[in-house]
Short mmCIF file of all heavy atoms in Angstrom, two decimals:
data_model
loop_
_atom_site.label_atom_id
_atom_site.label_comp_id
_atom_site.label_asym_id
_atom_site.label_seq_id
_atom_site.Cartn_x
_atom_site.Cartn_y
_atom_site.Cartn_z
N MET A 1 82.79 163.89 187.24
CA MET A 1 81.84 163.45 188.14
C MET A 1 80.66 162.73 187.40
O MET A 1 79.61 162.34 188.08
CB MET A 1 81.33 164.52 189.00
CG MET A 1 82.40 165.13 189.93
SD MET A 1 81.76 166.18 191.28
CE MET A 1 81.35 167.60 190.23
N TYR A 2 80.74 162.56 186.16
CA TYR A 2 79.76 162.10 185.23
C TYR A 2 80.04 160.81 184.55
O TYR A 2 81.16 160.60 184.06
CB TYR A 2 79.23 163.06 184.23
CG TYR A 2 78.57 164.37 184.79
CD1 TYR A 2 79.21 165.29 185.53
CD2 TYR A 2 77.16 164.45 184.65
CE1 TYR A 2 78.59 166.34 186.11
CE2 TYR A 2 76.55 165.54 185.13
CZ TYR A 2 77.16 166.50 185.97
OH TYR A 2 76.63 167.54 186.26
N ARG A 3 79.08 159.80 184.55
CA ARG A 3 79.16 158.71 183.64
C ARG A 3 78.76 159.21 182.35
O ARG A 3 77.76 159.95 182.07
CB ARG A 3 78.21 157.53 184.11
CG ARG A 3 78.04 156.56 183.08
CD ARG A 3 77.20 155.35 183.53
NE ARG A 3 76.16 155.66 184.45
CZ ARG A 3 74.82 156.04 184.09
NH1 ARG A 3 74.56 156.05 182.85
NH2 ARG A 3 74.03 156.33 184.96
N VAL A 4 79.65 158.78 181.25
CA VAL A 4 79.39 159.20 179.89
C VAL A 4 79.06 158.08 179.01
O VAL A 4 79.77 157.02 179.11
CB VAL A 4 80.55 160.08 179.39
CG1 VAL A 4 80.25 160.46 177.92
CG2 VAL A 4 80.69 161.38 180.23
N GLY A 5 78.11 158.28 178.10
CA GLY A 5 77.82 157.18 177.15
C GLY A 5 77.72 157.76 175.72
O GLY A 5 77.68 158.96 175.50
N TRP A 6 78.10 156.86 174.70
CA TRP A 6 77.93 157.21 173.30
C TRP A 6 76.81 156.40 172.75
O TRP A 6 76.61 155.22 173.02
CB TRP A 6 79.19 156.94 172.61
CG TRP A 6 80.32 157.82 172.78
CD1 TRP A 6 81.34 157.73 173.69
CD2 TRP A 6 80.52 159.07 172.10
NE1 TRP A 6 82.22 158.71 173.62
CE2 TRP A 6 81.70 159.69 172.69
CE3 TRP A 6 79.88 159.82 171.14
CZ2 TRP A 6 82.23 160.91 172.24
CZ3 TRP A 6 80.33 160.99 170.83
CH2 TRP A 6 81.55 161.60 171.26
N PHE A 7 75.97 157.13 171.92
CA PHE A 7 74.93 156.55 171.21
C PHE A 7 74.92 156.92 169.72
O PHE A 7 75.78 157.80 169.28
CB PHE A 7 73.57 157.14 171.70
CG PHE A 7 73.28 156.75 173.09
CD1 PHE A 7 73.99 157.23 174.25
CD2 PHE A 7 72.33 155.69 173.42
CE1 PHE A 7 73.68 156.86 175.51
CE2 PHE A 7 72.00 155.31 174.72
CZ PHE A 7 72.72 155.85 175.70
N ARG A 8 74.23 156.28 168.87
CA ARG A 8 74.07 156.72 167.48
C ARG A 8 72.64 156.41 167.01
O ARG A 8 71.98 155.64 167.51
CB ARG A 8 75.08 155.97 166.60
CG ARG A 8 74.82 154.49 166.42
CD ARG A 8 75.99 153.75 165.61
NE ARG A 8 75.76 152.41 165.46
CZ ARG A 8 76.67 151.63 164.93
NH1 ARG A 8 77.85 152.03 164.60
NH2 ARG A 8 76.47 150.37 164.87
N GLN A 9 72.35 157.24 165.94
CA GLN A 9 71.06 157.02 165.32
C GLN A 9 71.13 157.16 163.83
O GLN A 9 71.52 158.23 163.32
CB GLN A 9 70.00 158.03 165.88
CG GLN A 9 68.60 157.73 165.52
CD GLN A 9 67.69 158.65 166.27
OE1 GLN A 9 67.92 159.64 166.87
NE2 GLN A 9 66.30 158.20 166.20
N ALA A 10 70.88 156.10 163.12
CA ALA A 10 70.80 156.13 161.68
C ALA A 10 69.42 156.56 161.17
O ALA A 10 68.39 156.43 161.92
CB ALA A 10 71.12 154.78 161.25
N PRO A 11 69.37 157.03 160.07
CA PRO A 11 68.02 157.54 159.41
C PRO A 11 66.99 156.32 159.55
O PRO A 11 67.17 155.27 159.18
CB PRO A 11 68.36 157.87 158.07
CG PRO A 11 69.76 158.21 158.04
CD PRO A 11 70.40 157.37 159.06
N GLY A 12 65.76 156.69 160.14
CA GLY A 12 64.71 155.78 160.07
C GLY A 12 64.96 154.61 161.26
O GLY A 12 64.13 153.73 161.34
N GLN A 13 66.03 154.73 162.10
CA GLN A 13 66.27 153.77 163.06
C GLN A 13 66.18 154.25 164.48
O GLN A 13 66.36 155.57 164.59
CB GLN A 13 67.56 153.08 162.81
CG GLN A 13 67.58 152.26 161.52
CD GLN A 13 68.87 151.55 161.31
OE1 GLN A 13 69.52 151.15 162.28
NE2 GLN A 13 69.19 151.19 160.10
N ALA A 14 66.07 153.47 165.43
CA ALA A 14 66.08 153.90 166.86
C ALA A 14 67.43 154.25 167.26
O ALA A 14 68.42 153.89 166.70
CB ALA A 14 65.44 152.83 167.81
N ARG A 15 67.54 155.14 168.33
CA ARG A 15 68.90 155.47 168.79
C ARG A 15 69.49 154.11 169.52
O ARG A 15 68.75 153.47 170.19
CB ARG A 15 68.71 156.54 169.90
CG ARG A 15 70.06 157.15 170.30
CD ARG A 15 69.90 158.31 171.10
NE ARG A 15 69.25 159.44 170.39
CZ ARG A 15 69.07 160.75 170.81
NH1 ARG A 15 69.49 160.94 172.02
NH2 ARG A 15 68.56 161.56 170.01
N GLU A 16 70.72 153.88 169.19
CA GLU A 16 71.44 152.73 169.75
C GLU A 16 72.55 153.06 170.61
O GLU A 16 73.31 153.99 170.43
CB GLU A 16 72.01 152.02 168.45
CG GLU A 16 72.78 150.79 168.79
CD GLU A 16 73.47 150.14 167.63
OE1 GLU A 16 73.60 150.85 166.55
OE2 GLU A 16 74.07 148.99 167.78
N GLY A 17 72.53 152.40 171.80
CA GLY A 17 73.60 152.71 172.76
C GLY A 17 74.72 151.90 172.33
O GLY A 17 74.76 150.70 171.90
N LEU A 18 76.03 152.49 172.40
CA LEU A 18 77.18 151.88 171.88
C LEU A 18 78.22 151.58 173.06
O LEU A 18 78.79 150.49 173.02
CB LEU A 18 77.85 152.89 170.96
CG LEU A 18 77.19 153.35 169.81
CD1 LEU A 18 77.94 154.36 168.93
CD2 LEU A 18 76.76 152.09 168.94
N SER A 19 78.44 152.48 173.91
CA SER A 19 79.37 152.36 174.88
C SER A 19 79.23 153.33 176.10
O SER A 19 78.47 154.28 175.87
CB SER A 19 80.81 152.55 174.34
OG SER A 19 81.85 152.32 175.24
N CYS A 20 79.79 152.99 177.24
CA CYS A 20 79.66 153.94 178.37
C CYS A 20 80.94 153.73 179.22
O CYS A 20 81.67 152.67 179.17
CB CYS A 20 78.35 153.84 179.15
SG CYS A 20 78.18 152.30 180.03
N ILE A 21 81.26 154.80 179.96
CA ILE A 21 82.51 154.77 180.76
C ILE A 21 82.12 155.39 182.15
O ILE A 21 81.39 156.36 182.19
CB ILE A 21 83.77 155.44 179.99
CG1 ILE A 21 84.98 155.38 180.77
CG2 ILE A 21 83.33 156.94 179.80
CD1 ILE A 21 86.10 155.78 179.84
N SER A 22 82.79 154.88 183.22
CA SER A 22 82.50 155.35 184.55
C SER A 22 83.20 156.82 184.62
O SER A 22 84.11 157.09 183.84
CB SER A 22 83.06 154.38 185.61
OG SER A 22 84.55 154.19 185.36
N SER A 23 82.91 157.47 185.70
CA SER A 23 83.36 158.81 185.88
C SER A 23 84.97 158.84 186.07
O SER A 23 85.66 159.76 185.57
CB SER A 23 82.79 159.47 187.08
OG SER A 23 82.87 158.64 188.27
N ASN A 24 85.50 157.75 186.62
CA ASN A 24 86.96 157.57 186.81
C ASN A 24 87.61 157.02 185.62
O ASN A 24 88.81 156.87 185.64
CB ASN A 24 87.24 156.98 188.08
CG ASN A 24 86.91 155.43 188.18
OD1 ASN A 24 86.38 154.84 187.22
ND2 ASN A 24 87.06 154.85 189.34
N GLY A 25 86.89 156.49 184.60
CA GLY A 25 87.49 156.01 183.54
C GLY A 25 87.86 154.51 183.63
O GLY A 25 88.43 153.95 182.70
N LYS A 26 87.71 153.93 184.74
CA LYS A 26 88.22 152.59 184.95
C LYS A 26 87.31 151.48 184.61
O LYS A 26 87.69 150.25 184.58
CB LYS A 26 88.61 152.37 186.40
CG LYS A 26 89.65 153.29 186.86
CD LYS A 26 90.12 153.01 188.43
CE LYS A 26 91.17 153.88 188.82
NZ LYS A 26 91.67 153.72 190.32
N SER A 27 86.10 151.75 184.25
CA SER A 27 85.12 150.74 183.88
C SER A 27 84.39 151.19 182.61
O SER A 27 84.02 152.30 182.46
CB SER A 27 84.15 150.49 185.04
OG SER A 27 83.21 149.45 184.77
N THR A 28 84.27 150.23 181.66
CA THR A 28 83.51 150.44 180.41
C THR A 28 82.71 149.34 180.07
O THR A 28 82.81 148.21 180.53
CB THR A 28 84.69 150.65 179.28
OG1 THR A 28 85.45 149.46 179.21
CG2 THR A 28 85.56 151.84 179.62
N GLN A 29 81.64 149.57 179.14
CA GLN A 29 80.76 148.63 178.59
C GLN A 29 80.68 148.95 177.10
O GLN A 29 80.75 150.09 176.70
CB GLN A 29 79.46 148.67 179.25
CG GLN A 29 79.42 148.21 180.75
CD GLN A 29 79.54 146.69 180.90
OE1 GLN A 29 79.36 145.94 179.87
NE2 GLN A 29 79.82 146.23 182.11
N TYR A 30 80.40 147.87 176.32
CA TYR A 30 80.17 148.13 174.83
C TYR A 30 79.13 147.30 174.37
O TYR A 30 78.82 146.23 174.84
CB TYR A 30 81.47 147.62 174.16
CG TYR A 30 82.60 148.41 174.37
CD1 TYR A 30 83.60 148.18 175.40
CD2 TYR A 30 82.97 149.58 173.62
CE1 TYR A 30 84.66 148.84 175.66
CE2 TYR A 30 84.13 150.34 173.86
CZ TYR A 30 84.95 150.06 174.87
OH TYR A 30 86.09 150.75 175.12
N ALA A 31 78.45 147.79 173.31
CA ALA A 31 77.39 146.96 172.57
C ALA A 31 78.11 145.94 171.69
O ALA A 31 79.33 146.23 171.27
CB ALA A 31 76.66 147.90 171.66
N GLY A 32 77.47 144.82 171.48
CA GLY A 32 78.16 143.79 170.70
C GLY A 32 78.50 144.22 169.27
O GLY A 32 79.51 143.71 168.64
N SER A 33 77.71 145.17 168.85
CA SER A 33 77.99 145.61 167.43
C SER A 33 79.25 146.40 167.21
O SER A 33 79.68 146.51 166.06
CB SER A 33 76.71 146.53 166.88
OG SER A 33 76.68 147.62 167.86
N VAL A 34 79.81 146.80 168.28
CA VAL A 34 81.06 147.68 168.17
C VAL A 34 82.16 147.21 169.04
O VAL A 34 83.30 147.63 168.93
CB VAL A 34 80.80 149.18 168.61
CG1 VAL A 34 79.64 149.82 167.69
CG2 VAL A 34 80.38 149.36 169.94
#
């Protein structure tokens, strides 16, 4: 029932959003870097 996202944070840098997926898994989004 939850949308889930992945983020990352390198030392000394801001947290970066990478990807997310809808609760049913049918829709996704990605950052250009990945």
Side-chain angles (χ1 to χ4, degrees):
M1 295 190 288
Y2 289 74
R3 166 171 40 85
V4 175
W6 285 97
F7 293 76
R8 68 185 178 190
Q9 188 167 21
Q13 296 188 24
R15 193 172 293 186
E16 175 189 12
L18 303 176
S19 184
C20 61
I21 188 167
S22 60
S23 56
N24 64 4
K26 293 182 178 180
S27 180
T28 59
Q29 292 284 345
Y30 294 92
S33 58
V34 302

